[in-house]
Amino acid sequence: MSLSLAASNTVQGLRLLFPALIIYFLIILSYGVGAQNSSNVTNVGAIINGNSRIGKEQKTAMEIAAETFNNRSKTHKLILHFRNSSTDPFLAASAAEELIKEKKVEAIVGMETWQEAAQVADLVGNLAQIPVISFAAPSITPPLMQSRWPFLIRMAADGSAQMKCIADIVSAYHWKRVVVIYEDDGYGGDVGMLALLSEALQDVGSKIEHRLVLPQVSSLSNPNWVELEELLKLPTMQSRVYIVFQSSLPTVAHLFRVAEKMGLVGKESAWIITESITSLFDPHETSDISSTMKGTLGIKTYYAKNTNSFATFQKQFQTKYPEEGSPEPGIYALRAYDAIRIIAQAIGRMTSNNSTSLQLLLNTLFSNYTGLSGKMRFEAGEILYSPVLRIINIVDGKRFKELNFWTPDVGFSLEETGKIRDGDAGGVIWPGNLTHVPKGWAMPTAAKPMKIGVPGKTSFSKFVKVDPSLENSDKKKYVGFCIAIFDMVIERLNYSLPYEFEAFDGLYDDLVERVHNKVYDAAVGDITVLADRLEKVEFTQPYMESGLSMIVPAKPEKSTWMFMKPFTWQMWVVSGAILIYTMFVVWFLERPSNPEFGGPLKNQIGTATWFTFSSLFFSHREKIYSNLTRLVVVVWLFVVLILTSSYTANLSSMLTIQRLKPNVTDIEILKRTNSKIGCDGDSFVMDYLQTVLGFKIENIVKVSSEYNYTKEFKSKNISAAFLELPYAQVFMNEFCEGYTSTEPTYRFGGLSFIFQRGSPIARDFTKAILELLENGELKKLQNDWLTPNECPNNVTSNGPESLSLNSFTALYVISGVTSSFCFLLSLAVLGRRFLQQEADQGNASPSPSDETLWNKTVRIARFFYSRELNIPTRAPTFADYAEEWHSPMWDYSTASNTPEHPRTIRPTEIECVQQG
């Protein structure tokens, strides 16, 4: 009984103990699981600007990425701790320090500005040695960035690509001056952007005309922003191309409202905004802000929208975003989403016993990662991929359209790959619904016409003349060649250009300064393009060439030996040599057979000389017996025909054209003799004569009018006058007789019109002037105004030159070769005869070994000279020469020619004997 009772008590105790054990084990198990979960929680700090739209988008994107990871992971949890910095670097650093100490965060992401990122990485990241992922980048990447901030990773590219894109837009539409507008952030963040933009604009031939710094919203005392309106009232600011960057949304909104009120939006104006402002606008958002920005060009970083992952994220984003409507996430939201996803992947690869740090895992993942924001490749904490930018155009208050792409390597293109190129941003709708590209300049209007300065006092009135007496009459007060060109250009412009002339009585350099200082919008006149002037004003295409010409008194050139000038002395020498050589060959060929070349030696020389010289006038009467001589004479007569014709034509030209002989021919003579020279005192020529040519100032006489030059010459006050080529042409056309001019040795830039630097009107004038030059209208206008009279004694043109040997070399070679060929052929035949004779008379003559060289030479010469005169009935032919060369006519060695058998010679045979 007691045993069963004990067993029963035992069972009852076990029943009571078993639930307690189960509860104990559950408590232990729950404690272990909780401990395990607590060890796999990763805290990440996020520092954003909670007051801005970009910050709100980043917060929503990071929450979506963390929530997606936590829903999928059963062993790791990611907890985000947000802090609002309001873009204050010190608040950002303080928030980061608090997150590290209080929340034990293992990474910090965010930082909308580079100042925040640098402060956090410098004061917190390096001390705690935790990764800092920044959504911002510096304008210019510091060279020692990795060594200074080894734990900093930036997900954005620097500003160089964006500034180059803006410069390409400015260059594509030929804008030369821009105005930069930005909001002062108090930390000098604009310095790097301005430096990059200035360098990029300089590469395309443009520059920043003015910088407009806007005050921060917090520093404004007047909510209507009267200060901004006063800042925009810049009377000297001619550019109408505005580039806005680094500004808050309220600042940009009021900027465009004030600009529209002042008429700076539209009317040939252009506005460009950077990505930090473009990202504030949504294509689905209706706002009063974007309605004032119609026609504005913006820049956005391109990202693909046609992927499934983007569609999923966009749906989640539009659900969770606190703002109304259906906003589209921007690039800043996508970078925030990618940053948390990369951190989540790094956490997923970490285990409890893994010693790999989060920093190393992040560096590995960031080295080659493709996310919603694009393909990223990081190395040493720096982004290395080349960003693809997209140009957008704000159409109206409800939407904007996307235009062409832009990449640093290609420029503008129709595809994101950059393979298909295009010349500009694309089909832009400009402010004010302009159908053409804005000039980007303060264009003149009827109420405010363009003010153009005109030289009031000029030395040569044919270029520009201002007649004050015609001011109240119907006739034009401003006349001249330059004014006529200006009128023709105005007619060719495809837009209205209201203007008014104003006479300026100062120096030309002062007129250039007036345009440079924006007193005048332009200057029209005979203004020479010079290097120092080019730095101050914009020149158009020169409408007339320019150079320094010297004018001196001259008298008609008279020369006793004028008849010798048609040929150069080399021509005379070579012609005489050919004549003598031809005379010798004719004498040599004709002497044996022509009785007119017989007799004493002096008669032979006289006959040969007379024959050759008389052939110059085709008056020779001597009969020619040898065909070889005929060949030589025919070629010689052809040479004579060409020479006499050329001589006669050139001599006639020299006698017909009056040639003036200048009194002074060299500048060095003027300087050595300290001669007085004249020039226009109201030009740069006077300084040029001193500094470049080295004339003394006391020897330079200022001449105020073209008619005073003749007075100075006649009174012997000056020995020479130095004028620019256009003025020299007018002077020589007016005073044809008594003066001569030299061709310009020193060239200048030409005559041109001038405009303010960067004025697009200068380019339009250049195009019109080129058209006038190409179609010949400007040349016709120049002839009508400057050289209306045909000067019979135009001494500025060069007279005919003496004929040189180069023109007749081939002719002389043909004559010489023909004569030499005939001479050598005849000489060969005679040599053949001499050898035959030597063979026939070998016994009578001394042996070759006993005869000296001189005696043999004399004997050969006597043989050639003592040829008997034999007049044939017909002239020997080439066949006769050939027959005589191969078969001798007299064969004294044959049996029939021995004394016992003398050869019978018939008269006909005697007549046919070849004698040379």
Side-chain angles (χ1 to χ4, degrees):
M1 185 70 182
S2 59
L3 182 61
S4 62
L5 181 61
S8 176
N9 292 334
T10 303
V11 173
Q12 188 68 28
L14 291 175
R15 289 178 179 177
L16 295 175
L17 181 61
F18 184 73
L21 290 174
I22 293 176
I23 295 172
Y24 176 78
F25 281 116
L26 289 176
I27 294 173
I28 295 299
L29 181 61
S30 63
Y31 177 80
V33 172
Q36 184 180 5
N37 289 340
S38 63
S39 62
N40 292 333
V41 172
T42 302
N43 296 303
V44 175
I47 301 176
I48 62 174
N49 180 14
N51 303 325
S52 68
R53 173 172 176 170
I54 292 178
K56 295 176 181 178
E57 288 187 0
Q58 289 173 342
K59 183 176 183 296
T60 302
M62 287 189 283
E63 289 175 346
I64 293 174
E67 182 179 347
T68 302
F69 173 76
N70 292 333
N71 292 336
R72 293 179 180 177
S73 177
K74 298 180 179 180
T75 58
H76 295 79
K77 297 298 178 183
L78 179 63
I79 299 178
L80 299 176
H81 302 276
F82 291 96
R83 295 294 183 270
N84 184 10
S85 67
S86 298
T87 66
D88 189 330
F90 298 102
L91 288 179
S94 177
E97 187 176 5
E98 183 264 334
L99 288 171
I100 293 174
K101 292 180 179 180
E102 302 295 334
K103 301 300 180 180
K104 308 299 181 182
V105 296
E106 299 182 31
I108 297 177
V109 298
M111 286 74 72
E112 186 176 322
T113 65
W114 174 248
Q115 289 80 9
E116 296 177 82
Q119 194 82 347
V120 171
D122 202 10
L123 300 180
V124 180
N126 291 349
L127 295 177
Q129 295 186 355
I130 64 173
V132 177
I133 303 175
S134 170
F135 299 153
S139 302
I140 302 175
T141 302
L144 302 178
M145 177 177 172
Q146 178 61 20
S147 61
R148 181 175 180 179
W149 300 300
F151 295 94
L152 176 62
I153 300 174
R154 60 187 179 99
M155 294 189 64
D158 57 26
S160 59
Q162 192 172 177
M163 294 302 104
K164 289 180 181 179
C165 178
I166 293 176
D168 281 356
I169 294 175
V170 172
S171 175
Y173 298 111
H174 309 291
W175 298 323
K176 297 299 182 181
R177 293 290 183 272
V178 301
V179 176
V180 176
I181 304 175
Y182 57 91
E183 184 178 8
D184 183 19
D185 60 359
Y187 301 102
D190 59 287
V191 177
M193 297 289 282
L194 284 175
L196 290 174
L197 181 60
S198 179
E199 182 180 357
L201 290 175
Q202 186 177 2
D203 292 339
V204 298
S206 302
K207 66 181 298 185
I208 298 174
E209 183 186 23
H210 185 75
R211 292 184 301 166
L212 183 59
V213 183
L214 304 180
Q216 284 185 308
V217 177
S218 59
S219 65
L220 292 175
S221 59
N222 191 331
N224 294 325
W225 286 28
V226 179
E227 295 92 338
L228 176 58
E229 190 168 347
E230 293 298 324
L231 288 173
L232 289 175
K233 291 180 180 179
L234 300 175
T236 60
M237 188 171 62
Q238 296 292 323
S239 175
R240 291 295 181 267
V241 179
Y242 302 98
I243 300 174
V244 187
F245 56 83
Q246 287 186 327
S247 299
S248 61
L249 188 58
T251 303
V252 173
H254 197 80
L255 170 65
F256 275 89
R257 290 192 188 101
V258 174
E260 186 179 35
K261 176 182 176 182
M262 299 180 62
L264 301 180
V265 178
K267 295 183 179 179
E268 304 295 343
S269 299
W271 289 79
I272 304 174
I273 56 178
T274 56
E275 185 175 35
S276 61
I277 303 175
T278 307
S279 300
L280 302 177
F281 301 100
D282 192 283
H284 305 286
E285 178 184 354
T286 302
S287 66
D288 184 53
I289 300 173
S290 58
S291 63
T292 62
M293 302 175 63
K294 295 178 182 179
T296 301
L297 293 178
I299 298 173
K300 295 183 67 174
T301 301
Y302 171 76
Y303 52 89
K305 301 179 183 180
N306 55 356
T307 61
N308 295 330
S309 56
F310 178 82
T312 302
F313 170 72
Q314 184 178 17
K315 185 177 180 180
Q316 295 174 333
F317 182 85
Q318 292 174 350
T319 302
K320 290 181 175 293
Y321 189 67
E323 302 295 331
E324 296 180 359
S326 300
E328 182 178 292
I331 186 64
Y332 295 98
L334 298 182
R335 286 174 182 160
Y337 179 81
D338 288 339
I340 300 302
R341 284 194 62 190
I342 293 176
I343 293 176
Q345 290 185 21
I347 293 174
R349 295 185 182 185
M350 297 178 65
T351 59
S352 58
N353 57 357
N354 192 354
S355 60
T356 305
S357 65
L358 181 61
Q359 178 72 34
L360 294 177
L361 289 173
L362 290 177
N363 289 337
T364 302
L365 292 173
F366 270 115
S367 62
N368 190 8
Y369 180 81
T370 302
L372 296 182
S373 59
K375 185 176 181 180
M376 294 174 284
R377 185 169 66 88
F378 291 83
E379 184 176 318
E382 182 179 353
I383 189 170
L384 298 179
Y385 72 90
S386 180
V388 178
L389 302 180
R390 189 73 184 265
I391 313 300
I392 70 165
N393 183 209
I394 299 178
V395 179
D396 50 34
K398 296 182 179 180
R399 63 187 178 90
F400 62 76
K401 67 174 183 177
E402 296 180 339
L403 305 178
N404 288 344
F405 296 87
W406 184 91
T407 56
D409 299 331
V410 178
F412 296 107
S413 61
L414 301 177
E415 294 182 354
E416 66 273 13
T417 57
K419 296 180 180 179
I420 303 178
R421 301 189 62 180
D422 200 5
D424 51 32
V428 182
I429 299 177
W430 299 104
N433 294 322
L434 291 180
T435 57
H436 61 272
V437 177
K439 295 295 182 184
W441 196 257
M443 297 298 290
T445 61
K448 188 180 179 181
M450 184 169 61
K451 195 174 182 180
I452 301 176
V454 178
K457 295 180 180 180
T458 58
S459 300
F460 290 82
S461 58
K462 288 188 176 182
F463 288 90
V464 178
K465 181 179 180 181
V466 181
D467 191 352
S469 62
L470 301 177
E471 186 171 3
N472 297 324
S473 65
D474 295 336
K475 296 183 180 180
K476 293 179 63 176
K477 176 183 175 181
Y478 301 90
V479 293
F481 173 61
C482 300
I483 304 299
I485 296 177
F486 179 82
D487 293 337
M488 294 182 67
V489 172
I490 290 293
E491 294 176 358
R492 287 183 168 267
L493 297 180
N494 56 1
Y495 54 88
S496 176
L497 188 67
Y499 67 90
E500 61 180 16
F501 287 137
E502 181 177 314
F504 178 75
D505 294 333
L507 301 177
Y508 278 70
D509 287 336
D510 295 337
L511 179 59
V512 173
E513 286 293 335
R514 290 290 186 95
V515 178
H516 174 62
N517 296 330
K518 301 181 180 179
V519 177
Y520 293 133
D521 297 308
V524 173
D526 48 341
I527 305 172
T528 306
V529 180
L530 299 176
D532 57 340
R533 295 175 179 176
L534 195 62
E535 296 295 326
K536 301 176 181 179
V537 294
E538 194 89 18
F539 281 93
T540 65
Q541 166 69 28
Y543 54 82
M544 200 171 185
E545 66 175 343
S546 179
L548 191 62
S549 180
M550 182 177 70
I551 297 177
V552 295
K555 57 184 179 180
E557 183 180 4
K558 298 179 181 179
S559 176
T560 307
W561 299 94
M562 176 65 75
F563 69 93
M564 297 290 293
K565 290 189 175 181
F567 288 162
T568 61
W569 68 268
Q570 294 92 339
M571 272 287 296
W572 286 112
V573 171
V574 175
S575 299
I578 288 291
L579 185 144
I580 294 174
Y581 181 65
T582 304
M583 178 184 69
F584 167 75
V585 172
V586 170
W587 168 80
F588 184 82
L589 295 176
E590 288 295 312
R591 195 193 68 81
S593 58
N594 196 333
E596 295 184 10
F597 286 83
L601 180 60
K602 62 180 182 179
N603 292 341
Q604 298 178 23
I605 296 176
T607 302
T609 304
W610 167 254
F611 174 83
T612 309
F613 273 94
S614 61
S615 64
L616 295 175
F617 312 99
F618 303 97
S619 60
H620 53 282
R621 295 291 183 268
E622 290 78 11
K623 187 176 180 181
I624 298 176
Y625 288 85
S626 174
N627 281 337
L628 292 178
T629 308
R630 290 190 178 100
L631 179 60
V632 172
V633 171
V634 166
V635 176
W636 167 247
L637 292 179
F638 178 72
V639 174
V640 169
L641 176 64
I642 300 300
L643 290 178
T644 54
S645 301
S646 303
Y647 176 87
T648 303
N650 203 25
L651 181 61
S652 300
S653 300
M654 291 182 175
L655 295 176
T656 302
I657 299 178
Q658 182 181 6
R659 297 171 61 87
L660 298 181
K661 183 178 181 181
N663 295 338
V664 181
T665 58
D666 190 21
I667 293 178
E668 297 299 327
I669 296 177
L670 293 172
K671 292 194 292 186
R672 286 198 302 265
T673 58
N674 287 325
S675 300
K676 299 287 185 178
I677 59 174
C679 72
D680 184 6
D682 187 20
S683 70
F684 69 96
V685 176
M686 185 173 181
D687 293 334
Y688 190 87
L689 292 174
Q690 298 178 59
T691 57
V692 178
L693 299 185
F695 284 97
K696 298 178 181 179
I697 184 62
E698 58 269 17
N699 293 332
I700 301 177
V701 179
K702 296 181 181 180
V703 184
S704 59
S705 174
E706 58 181 305
Y707 301 101
N708 291 340
Y709 284 101
T710 57
K711 297 178 182 178
E712 297 291 341
F713 277 125
K714 291 178 180 178
S715 60
K716 307 295 183 181
N717 289 337
I718 59 175
S719 300
F722 287 88
L723 299 175
E724 290 187 71
L725 179 60
Y727 308 136
Q729 293 176 350
V730 173
F731 182 87
M732 296 304 301
N733 187 264
E734 185 75 19
F735 306 100
C736 295
E737 300 179 358
Y739 299 95
T740 184
S741 64
T742 61
E743 290 294 327
T745 305
Y746 306 93
R747 295 285 180 178
F748 305 135
L751 303 186
S752 177
F753 300 147
I754 60 175
F755 292 83
Q756 293 180 10
R757 292 286 294 173
S759 174
I761 307 177
R763 182 177 179 273
D764 297 338
F765 265 63
T766 292
K767 180 181 179 181
I769 291 174
L770 288 173
E771 292 175 353
L772 293 174
L773 287 170
E774 292 170 3
N775 59 27
E777 293 185 34
L778 201 56
K779 180 63 176 176
K780 184 178 181 299
L781 189 68
Q782 177 181 335
N783 295 335
D784 295 339
W785 275 95
L786 304 182
T787 55
N789 303 319
E790 186 68 26
C791 186
N793 300 322
N794 191 354
V795 296
T796 58
S797 62
N798 294 327
E801 298 180 354
S802 300
L803 298 176
S804 63
L805 185 61
N806 295 333
S807 303
F808 301 94
T809 301
L811 200 62
Y812 287 150
V813 170
I814 293 174
S815 177
V817 169
T818 303
S819 299
S820 300
F821 171 75
C822 295
F823 171 75
L824 293 176
L825 182 59
S826 178
L827 194 65
V829 172
L830 291 177
R832 176 75 173 176
R833 291 180 183 177
F834 176 76
L835 293 178
Q836 184 64 40
Q837 179 177 313
E838 288 294 305
D840 294 342
Q841 301 177 358
N843 297 332
S845 61
S847 62
S849 58
D850 298 335
E851 188 178 17
T852 63
L853 179 62
W854 170 256
N855 293 335
K856 187 172 183 178
T857 302
V858 171
R859 187 160 52 85
I860 293 173
R862 286 178 178 176
F863 171 79
F864 287 122
Y865 179 74
S866 62
R867 290 174 293 169
E868 296 182 358
L869 181 65
N870 193 350
I871 304 175
T873 58
R874 63 177 178 86
T877 62
F878 287 105
D880 297 331
Y881 284 100
E883 180 181 355
E884 186 169 347
W885 177 257
H886 294 289
S887 300
M889 301 293 282
W890 303 287
D891 190 1
Y892 295 100
S893 62
T894 58
S896 60
N897 278 341
T898 58
E900 292 80 8
H901 303 279
R903 181 182 178 187
T904 304
I905 301 177
R906 294 191 296 251
T908 56
E909 294 182 277
I910 296 176
E911 292 176 357
C912 296
V913 172
Q914 174 65 41
Q915 294 295 332

